[in-house]
């Protein structure tokens, strides 16, 4: 049986990756604003993925 992944999980992981790249670019260039934006995106991605994980667990429990 294949596990279904919901949109929030996928979007959350994508946002985490985008945030990590942006954060690294900010560190490499010394641009604190870009680094902070990357950190914020990465954290928002974690939250969104966690929301998707909870939705998935609730769906399976029903």
């Amino acid at each position: 049986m294949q596990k279904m992944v919901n949109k929030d999980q996928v979007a959350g992981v994508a946002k985490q990756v985008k945030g990590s790249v942006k954060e690294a670019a900010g560190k490499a260039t010394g641009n604190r604003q870009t680094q902070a934006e990357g950190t914020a995106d990465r954290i928002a991605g974690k939250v969104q993925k966690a929301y998707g994980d909870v939705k998935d667990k609730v769906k399976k429990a029903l």
Side-chain angles (χ1 to χ4, degrees):
M1 182 179 215
Q2 187 173 337
K3 182 182 178 202
M4 296 295 294
V5 179
N6 67 43
K7 291 177 187 176
D8 288 306
Q9 289 169 317
V10 173
V13 170
K15 195 176 285 187
Q16 285 180 58
V17 171
K18 174 186 164 195
S20 293
V21 170
K22 196 171 186 180
E23 187 177 11
K27 282 182 184 177
T29 62
N31 187 328
R32 289 185 177 202
Q33 181 175 350
T34 300
Q35 184 179 351
E37 289 171 359
T39 302
D41 286 346
R42 186 173 47 80
I43 292 168
K46 282 185 179 184
V47 170
Q48 186 171 10
K49 183 183 178 300
Y51 171 73
D53 291 344
V54 170
K55 261 178 44 176
D56 192 46
K57 286 179 184 177
V58 169
K59 192 177 211 178
K60 287 179 181 178
L62 297 177

